[in-house]
C-alpha cells in the first residue's frame, strides 16, 4: 500500500525525531544498576548496623555522629567527620541515587564514598595513635564495619557509574 506524501509529513517526522532524541537523552542520563543495586542496599544496611555498634570504646556510631561520647571517652575529630560523611554520602546519597537512578548522582556517590573511605582509614589510624604515642581507645567493631561497607560502596558506585552507555 503506498501512501501519498502530504505537505505536513516532514513536520511530523521532525517532531517524531525530536521526541526520540529527548527520550534518548533521558535514557543516557539514567543508570540501571541491576544486581549491583542489591549489593549497594546491603552495604547501606551494614552502615546502619555499624551505627549502633561501638566505634570508639563504648561510644556508638550514632553517638560519634551526634557528638555524644560516652563518659571518659575521647573521640578524635576525624571519626566525627567520617561519621558525618559516611552517613550522608555513603547512606543518604546512595539511597537517593538508587531511587532516582541518575548518572550524575552515581558519580557523586562514587566520589563521596571514596572520600569517606579515606576518612575512614584515617579514623581507624587516629583511634590507634594519639599525642606522644599515647594510644587511643582503638577502633571499635562498628568503625571497622563502616569502613569496610563504604569501601565496598565505593567499588560498586564506580562500577555502576562507569557502565553508562556512551551517546
Amino acid at each position: 500500500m503506498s501512501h501519498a506524501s502530504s505537505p505536513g509529513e516532514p513536520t511530523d517526522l521532525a517532531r517524531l525525531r525530536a521526541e526520540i532524541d529527548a527520550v534518548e537523552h533521558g535514557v543516557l542520563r539514567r543508570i540501571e544498576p541491576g544486581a549491583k543495586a542489591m549489593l549497594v542496599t546491603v552495604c547501606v544496611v551494614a552502615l546502619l548496623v555499624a551505627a549502633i555498634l561501638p566505634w570508639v570504646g563504648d561510644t556508638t556510631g550514632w553517638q560519634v555522629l551526634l557528638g555524644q561520647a560516652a563518659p571518659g571517652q575521647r573521640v578524635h575529630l576525624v571519626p566525627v567527620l567520617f561519621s558525618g560523611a559516611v552517613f550522608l554520602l555513603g547512606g543518604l546519597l546512595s539511597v537517593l541515587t538508587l531511587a532516582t537512578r541518575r548518572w550524575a548522582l552515581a558519580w557523586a556517590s562514587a566520589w563521596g564514598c571514596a572520600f569517606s573511605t579515606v576518612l575512614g582509614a584515617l579514623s581507624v589510624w587516629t583511634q590507634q595513635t594519639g599525642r606522644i604515642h599515647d594510644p587511643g581507645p582503638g577502633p571499635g567493631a562498628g568503625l571497622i564495619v563502616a569502613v569496610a561497607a563504604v569501601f565496598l560502596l565505593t567499588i560498586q558506585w564506580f562500577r555502576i557509574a562507569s557502565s553508562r552507555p556512551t551517546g
Side-chain angles (χ1 to χ4, degrees), residues 6 19 21 41 50 52-53 68-70 84 96 102 104 108-109 115 118 122 139-140 143 152:
S6 67
E19 187 177 330
D21 287 344
T41 303
I52 61 174
L53 294 173
Q68 302 172 344
L96 180 65
R102 292 290 182 193
S109 293
F115 173 73
V118 171
L122 288 173
L143 184 58
L152 289 174

Side-chain angles (χ1 to χ4, degrees), residues 23-47:
V23 168
E24 178 185 24
H25 183 68
V27 167
L28 288 177
R29 291 177 39 199
R30 299 181 64 80
I31 58 168
E32 284 302 325
K36 293 179 192 102
M38 182 57 77
L39 186 55
V40 168
T41 303
V42 168
C43 289
V44 170
V45 169
L47 289 176

Side-chain angles (χ1 to χ4, degrees), residues 88-163:
L88 180 67
L89 300 173
L92 188 61
L93 188 58
S94 289
V95 169
L96 180 65
T97 303
L98 282 179
T100 61
R101 300 194 184 272
R102 292 290 182 193
W103 182 74
L105 283 179
W107 277 113
S109 293
W111 286 109
C113 288
F115 173 73
S116 298
T117 300
V118 171
L119 276 179
L122 288 173
S123 296
V124 170
W125 178 68
T126 59
Q127 287 310 123
Q128 293 175 338
T129 61
R131 290 188 180 154
I132 312 171
H133 301 290
D134 182 23
L143 184 58
I144 302 299
V145 168
V147 171
V150 78
F151 177 71
L152 289 174
L153 276 171
T154 301
I155 293 169
Q156 290 309 308
W157 279 124
F158 273 112
R159 287 177 66 199
I160 292 168
S162 64
S163 70

